Amino acid sequence: MLTFTPITLEHHALLRKYYAGCDYHLCEYSAGTKLMWSLYLRPSFAEEAGCLIVRNRIDGEWVFDFPVPGPDGDVDAALTAIESYCTDTETPLVISVVPEEKAPELLLRWPRLRMNNERNWKDYLYRAEDLMYFRGKKLSGQRNHVNKFLKTYGTWSFRVITPEDVPQVEAFLDRYAAGRDKASASFHEDLAKTREVLDNYDTYDMLGGMLLVDGQIVGFALGEIVGDTLFTHIEKADRDYQGCYQMLVAQFAQQFAHEGVHFINREDDAGDLGLRTSKLSYHPVTLLEKYTVTVDEPCKFCALAE
């Protein structure tokens, strides 16, 4: 039977090993997301059939990620191991954040199941080149913001964040938080996660870049590359600087979306209408589906009964 180990920072290298070649494109299949949201997701992992199997605790129930294969991984065998585990432990069989292209595999495996796909959790996927340069008519608005920034702030720079820069970045984060009087729990939770990443910058090993005007930080972003996709996990900027966010988006993409990186994932909007409007304004090539698959009685484990 599968044996699960709680995911902690010390498992960073193991997660990166599996996710490095993952082509699911969803933010949940990245080391950064799993570690940043570990207190919320309570993720644990097992290795079986050359695959990484992760389970999360959501709303009091265990749910499984779709298995992530290593170089010689057998996803079918990993799914069988999940079935057996659920049978032995009388755990409901629920697989969440299933990539759209993997959903038909589960439908063939379990002909009778329920699928849910919430709009709030769809990831925004962009062409890397679009965010690097904002070319074309549809992105003229973003390009105008960048031009406004360039005309207004002559002395600016963008550079990679080093461990020595972290205290300065944390000081900016404090100013950013103080200037945004938000009482929502999600806002403060996001700040706490950002501080955790900065406090453990070497361990998280993220790609970081900061935008400066007259030597002072006005924005920063943190992310990682998984396969052909650059994930933007954290992005903070001072809106008092016109065009600051658009400039940060473009510079971060230009710095890290090197050869072989074709897409940028800016993650979901969590149902925040302001965030949704902002992310749509960058014109994603698609909104990535995330299915939750629930296998019910009486066909709960029909594959095992055949």
Side-chain angles (χ1 to χ4, degrees):
M1 186 171 69
L2 294 173
T3 300
F4 287 92
T5 301
I7 289 176
T8 65
L9 276 175
E10 69 183 41
H11 299 114
H12 175 272
L14 180 142
L15 295 176
R16 279 280 178 90
K17 180 186 73 172
Y18 279 101
Y19 291 140
C22 183
D23 61 359
Y24 300 167
H25 290 119
L26 301 179
C27 68
E28 286 81 5
Y29 297 94
S30 67
T33 295
K34 277 291 177 279
L35 294 171
M36 284 176 60
W37 297 100
S38 60
L39 290 180
Y40 172 73
L41 297 172
R42 292 177 57 191
S44 53
F45 75 95
E47 295 179 274
E48 183 71 24
C51 295
L52 176 70
I53 298 174
V54 174
R55 67 173 186 176
N56 308 283
R57 189 77 169 175
I58 299 177
D59 296 329
E61 301 290 338
W62 289 116
V63 299
F64 298 84
D65 288 357
F66 195 86
V68 177
D72 301 311
D74 185 338
V75 170
D76 187 67
L79 288 170
T80 298
I82 293 174
E83 291 176 358
S84 299
Y85 176 85
C86 290
T87 300
D88 293 342
T89 61
E90 298 184 348
T91 300
L93 180 50
V94 182
I95 301 180
S96 68
V97 292
V98 177
E100 183 176 16
E101 66 273 17
K102 301 299 180 182
E105 296 180 26
L106 300 185
L107 186 59
L108 288 173
R109 189 180 188 94
W110 302 299
R112 294 192 295 272
L113 50 74
R114 287 183 290 130
M115 280 191 180
N116 183 38
N117 181 22
E118 292 191 27
R119 168 65 177 83
N120 291 351
W121 305 114
K122 294 182 180 182
D123 282 357
Y124 291 75
L125 191 72
Y126 306 82
R127 286 200 323 152
E129 186 177 359
D130 286 346
L131 297 193
M132 291 167 73
Y133 304 111
F134 298 138
R135 293 177 177 138
K137 183 177 180 180
K138 67 179 182 179
L139 290 169
S140 61
Q142 309 299 340
R143 190 166 62 251
N144 289 340
H145 283 297
V146 168
N147 290 335
K148 179 68 174 178
F149 181 93
L150 293 172
K151 290 177 182 178
T152 306
Y153 312 107
T155 308
W156 70 273
S157 62
F158 181 89
R159 61 183 178 83
V160 172
I161 296 172
T162 67
E164 291 72 28
D165 294 318
V166 169
Q168 189 180 353
V169 177
E170 290 179 325
F172 166 78
L173 184 63
D174 290 338
R175 296 195 302 273
Y176 168 89
R180 296 168 63 88
D181 186 19
K182 283 194 174 184
S184 67
S186 61
F187 173 73
H188 291 283
E189 186 175 15
D190 177 71
L191 286 177
K193 296 300 177 187
T194 302
R195 289 191 173 98
E196 178 188 318
V197 174
L198 292 172
D199 288 343
N200 298 277
Y201 191 67
D202 285 336
T203 304
Y204 268 92
D205 192 30
M206 283 195 188
L207 304 173
M210 56 187 184
L211 180 65
L212 302 96
V213 172
D214 295 325
Q216 178 172 296
I217 297 177
V218 298
F220 74 96
L222 302 170
E224 65 181 302
I225 294 173
V226 177
D228 64 356
T229 303
L230 171 63
F231 288 79
T232 305
H233 291 312
I234 295 170
E235 188 179 77
K236 310 294 180 191
D238 187 342
R239 292 188 182 277
D240 289 340
Y241 290 81
Q242 297 181 64
C244 191
Y245 264 106
Q246 290 79 10
M247 191 67 174
L248 179 61
V249 168
Q251 290 296 310
F252 189 74
Q254 290 177 34
Q255 178 69 46
F256 296 114
H258 51 65
E259 184 178 355
V261 174
H262 304 298
F263 300 101
I264 295 176
N265 183 319
R266 290 177 57 76
E267 305 189 348
D268 58 74
D269 59 38
D272 184 298
L273 294 182
L275 197 54
R276 180 170 298 181
T277 299
S278 174
K279 294 194 176 189
L280 287 172
S281 72
Y282 289 93
H283 294 278
V285 291
T286 189
L287 270 64
L288 295 171
E289 311 286 347
K290 300 179 184 180
Y291 291 95
T292 298
V293 172
T294 303
V295 184
D296 292 316
E297 303 270 1
C299 188
K300 188 172 183 181
F301 308 117
C302 54
L304 294 178
E306 293 177 353

